[in-house]
Amino acid sequence: HVSAVALLVVLSLSGIAPAQVLVQSTFNADTQGWTAFSVTTGICEATLGTRTNRAVTWIATGGSTGGFLRHAEFNGTSFFRASALFRGNQSAAYGGSISCEQRWTTTDNRVYYALDDMIILGGGITLYADTHIPSRDAWGQTRIPLLPGYWKVGSCNGPVASEALIRAALADVTDILIR
């Protein structure tokens, strides 16, 4: 089964104060260091599966506010990997949120994902969040609070993440993945 799915993303980490953006990619000039990969096994535990690097294309116009990234998905589940700007100590983001704008386009009307859409790896901890499926062929925003109740630990079926685990992951972020 081969389906082409393009995912377009803008991501920001926000702190507690309204409109306090800690780090953001707007894609107005280039890919800003973002990459993509696909996995064919271990989808729920994406970090455990074999990663195959995929091409990311920067498009100068057509995003919700300007440029955007596009990635075609074939045979497997793909993730965008946030740039190095989002790694390291992101402790100030606790209590804030992580948000992205996405648009799905597909050649296969059967495409539907019920798997976790955002994964944060850090401090030896893997956090999974299940987000809504964006509108097809239209930009939609997803915002996930960086608080207990929104994240699971270790797998998409794991226990709910505690404040201590979320804080520990944010203190040493090694990857942020978006499906």
Side-chain angles (χ1 to χ4, degrees), residues 80-94:
F80 278 99
R81 181 179 187 226
S83 72
L85 291 172
F86 292 85
R87 297 182 203 134
N89 187 346
Q90 299 295 341
S91 296
Y94 182 81

Side-chain angles (χ1 to χ4, degrees), residues 42-166:
I43 294 170
C44 183
E45 291 79 17
T47 58
L48 303 178
T50 302
R51 294 182 181 191
T52 302
N53 291 330
R54 300 292 182 200
V56 173
T57 304
W58 172 71
I59 310 294
T61 60
S64 66
T65 61
F68 66 93
L69 299 183
R70 179 170 49 209
H71 166 66
E73 178 179 274
F74 298 97
N75 290 333
T77 298
S78 294
F79 292 86
F80 278 99
R81 181 179 187 226
S83 72
L85 291 172
F86 292 85
R87 297 182 203 134
N89 187 346
Q90 299 295 341
S91 296
Y94 182 81
S97 63
I98 186 168
S99 63
C100 64
E101 295 181 30
Q102 299 173 305
R103 183 181 84 192
W104 286 83
T105 57
T106 182
T107 58
D108 186 344
N109 290 326
R110 298 173 296 161
V111 171
Y112 174 80
Y113 290 99
L115 299 173
D116 299 275
D117 299 297
M118 198 161 309
I119 300 171
I120 298 175
L121 294 90
I125 300 161
T126 304
L127 302 175
Y128 292 81
D130 188 21
T131 65
H132 71 283
I133 297 172
S135 301
R136 183 173 165 179
D137 297 325
W139 287 96
Q141 185 178 63
T142 298
R143 182 177 307 275
I144 305 169
L146 292 164
L147 293 166
Y150 297 93
W151 298 87
K152 293 187 178 181
V153 180
S155 81
C156 47
N157 298 314
V160 173
S162 66
E163 176 181 340
L165 288 174
I166 295 169

